């Protein structure tokens, strides 16, 4: 049975492992030239960050997963469910790793093509969606969702499980791809993605615990600790970046566990900053093409809009973290109404 003590242990384990692994990863990445290459068309202030070690997500993913699996085993709540979520997190992290590796080899910030990235995301999310659809209560939320169909979505406030049948598969794929890309877009300032994700994971830990999900609170608790440990080195001025390796893994992991618990809408509310970041890019591209070169934002994603408006990146990070805290409070209230 998951207890407050086990959740705290998972946070501490994730934090300690992350601090140790990230600290050792920095010199290794420097030695092997796995460094960040900043786009020239990005904010000019970011050009000084070129050469900072990337792929720090390796430490985040390893720490979060190790903490979740070890603590769940120690407290007797280890199951195939948490293993599936951890594997999914690793697979999405692999996509980011391939992208980061390509960037390091080519010495630029292009990485693999968008089509290649989407193809991999499509394949992994399809496999996860099919698994979630056909396993019913075995791997999904059947043990707490009562008689809810495995192909259902929980609607907050209404407190009703809406069965969408076979459409559940594309729904899951959309959530997985959207979150992995949204967290990836949020990773643009020192400490931004890790601080926002720590808060979102904290909210999901509370909701999962209150809802009676045995192992998933430990998974999210591991992410909290891993992100906070990474922040020790990632706060401004960052000594290491998580890269796509970390952001893709975090997005995939957050979404996978939420889908298993039928809490993807709660996750979307808590992580509205991710949604806003992604929408800012979509709107910017659409408006640019529609108007023949005009822009709505100074630069997208949204955090660059504030940065180019004269706000220092540390203030942007604090602002986005504060907004995320507000969204998390709102998500919590909606989960208990």
């Amino acid at each position: 049975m998951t207890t407050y003590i086990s959740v705290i242990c998972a946070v501490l384990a994730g934090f300690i492992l992350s601090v140790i692994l990230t600290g050792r990863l920095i010199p290794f990445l420097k030695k092997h030239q796995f460094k960040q290459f900043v786009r020239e068309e990005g904010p000019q202030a970011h050009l000084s960050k070129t050469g900072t070690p990337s792929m720090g997500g390796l430490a985040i993913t390893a720490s979060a997963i190790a903490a979740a699996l070890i603590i769940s085993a120690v407290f007797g709540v280890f199951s195939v469910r948490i293993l599936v979520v951890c594997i999914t997190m690793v697979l999405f992290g692999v996509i980011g790793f391939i992208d980061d590796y390509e960037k390091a080899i080519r010495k630029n910030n292009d990485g693999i093509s968008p089509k290649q990235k989407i193809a991999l995301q499509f394949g992994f999310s399809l496999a996860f969606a099919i698994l979630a659809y056909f396993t019913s209560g075995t791997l999904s939320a059947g043990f707490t969702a009562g008689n809810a169909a495995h192909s259902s979505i929980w609607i907050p406030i209404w407190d009703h499980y809406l069965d969408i049948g076979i459409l559940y598969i594309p729904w899951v794929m959309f959530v997985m791809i959207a979150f992995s890309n949204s967290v990836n877009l949020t990773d643009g300032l020192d400490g931004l993605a890790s601080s926002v994700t720590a808060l979102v994971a904290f909210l999901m830990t509370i909701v999962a615990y209150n809802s009676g999900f045995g192992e998933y609170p430990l998974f999210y608790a591991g992410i909290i600790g891993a992100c906070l440990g990474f922040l020790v080195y990632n706060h401004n001025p960052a000594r290491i970046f998580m890269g796509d390796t970390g952001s893709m893994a975090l997005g995939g992991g957050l979404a996978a566990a939420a889908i298993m618990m039928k809490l993807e809408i709660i996750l979307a509310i808590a992580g509205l900053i991710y949604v806003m970041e992604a929408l800012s890019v979509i709107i910017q591209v659409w408006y640019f093409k529609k108007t023949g070169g005009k822009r709505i934002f100074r630069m997208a994603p949204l955090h660059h809009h504030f940065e180019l408006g004269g706000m220092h990146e540390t203030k942007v990070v604090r602002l986005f973290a504060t907004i995320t805290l507000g969204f998390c409070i709102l998500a919590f209230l909606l989960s208990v109404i």
Side-chain angles (χ1 to χ4, degrees):
M1 179 180 179
T2 301
T3 63
Y4 286 121
I5 298 299
S6 62
V7 171
I8 293 173
C9 286
V11 173
L12 290 176
F15 177 81
I16 294 172
L17 287 171
S18 184
V19 170
I20 294 174
L21 291 178
T22 305
R24 295 191 175 186
L25 192 60
I26 292 174
F28 174 84
L29 294 173
K30 285 183 176 179
K31 179 180 178 180
H32 294 277
Q33 299 296 307
F34 291 114
K35 300 178 180 180
Q36 181 76 20
F37 293 89
V38 180
R39 291 180 180 273
E40 293 184 1
E41 61 269 24
Q44 294 300 300
H46 287 211
L47 293 178
S48 61
K49 299 182 180 184
T50 296
T52 302
S54 189
M55 289 193 186
L58 291 171
I60 296 176
T61 304
S63 301
I65 290 177
L69 295 180
I70 292 172
I71 300 302
S72 64
V74 169
F75 284 86
V77 293
F78 176 83
S79 70
V80 176
R81 289 183 290 267
I82 195 169
L83 186 60
V84 167
V85 171
C86 289
I87 291 174
T88 303
M89 183 177 184
V90 170
L91 289 176
F92 274 82
V94 167
I95 300 174
F97 176 82
I98 295 173
D99 195 40
D100 286 337
Y101 188 78
E102 285 292 312
K103 292 174 184 176
I105 291 177
R106 297 177 182 177
K107 308 302 181 185
N108 61 46
N109 204 35
D110 291 332
I112 60 177
S113 71
K115 289 184 179 180
Q116 291 174 314
K117 186 180 293 187
I118 287 294
L120 289 170
Q121 292 175 326
F122 185 92
F124 291 152
S125 60
L126 176 60
F128 180 83
I130 292 174
L131 180 66
Y133 180 80
F134 285 106
T135 51
S136 187
T138 305
L139 289 180
S140 65
F143 61 97
T144 55
N147 296 319
H150 58 281
S151 55
S152 63
I153 303 170
W154 183 61
I155 311 299
I157 301 180
W158 189 21
D159 193 20
H160 180 76
Y161 287 93
L162 179 65
D163 187 0
I164 58 176
I166 195 65
L167 291 177
Y168 184 72
I169 291 178
W171 162 256
V172 169
M173 293 177 65
F174 167 75
V175 173
M176 297 291 293
I177 294 174
F179 259 91
S180 58
N181 285 318
S182 296
V183 177
N184 181 237
L185 290 171
T186 304
D187 181 34
L189 299 178
D190 296 352
L192 179 57
S194 44
S195 58
V196 167
T197 301
L199 288 168
V200 173
F202 178 70
L203 178 277
M204 294 304 294
T205 301
I206 294 175
V207 175
Y209 184 90
N210 289 341
S211 300
F213 293 98
E215 59 278 84
Y216 296 122
L218 300 182
F219 174 74
Y220 281 118
I223 290 179
I224 295 172
C227 286
L228 292 179
F230 187 71
L231 266 173
V232 171
Y233 305 93
N234 183 237
H235 69 276
N236 185 269
R239 295 168 57 188
I240 187 173
F241 299 137
M242 68 170 66
D244 288 8
T245 305
S247 57
M248 296 289 287
L250 288 173
L254 288 173
I259 289 167
M260 289 292 205
M261 298 185 293
K262 308 295 185 186
L263 294 175
E264 49 265 66
I265 294 179
I266 290 296
L267 175 64
I269 294 170
L272 267 176
I273 279 293
Y274 301 139
V275 178
M276 292 166 61
E277 292 271 45
L279 284 177
S280 69
V281 174
I282 294 171
I283 293 171
Q284 185 86 321
V285 172
W286 173 82
Y287 191 74
F288 185 87
K289 293 181 178 179
K290 191 75 173 179
T291 60
K294 294 183 180 180
R295 294 176 172 83
I296 292 180
F297 304 104
R298 299 182 184 93
M299 183 177 290
L302 189 60
H303 54 260
H304 289 322
H305 172 77
F306 287 92
E307 191 179 11
L308 293 184
M311 185 179 293
H312 191 274
E313 68 173 289
T314 55
K315 292 186 178 179
V316 177
V317 172
R318 286 197 293 268
L319 173 64
F320 278 38
T322 301
I323 293 173
T324 298
L325 178 60
F327 287 147
C328 286
I329 292 173
L330 173 61
F332 174 76
L333 294 175
L334 291 176
S335 71
V336 298
I337 292 178

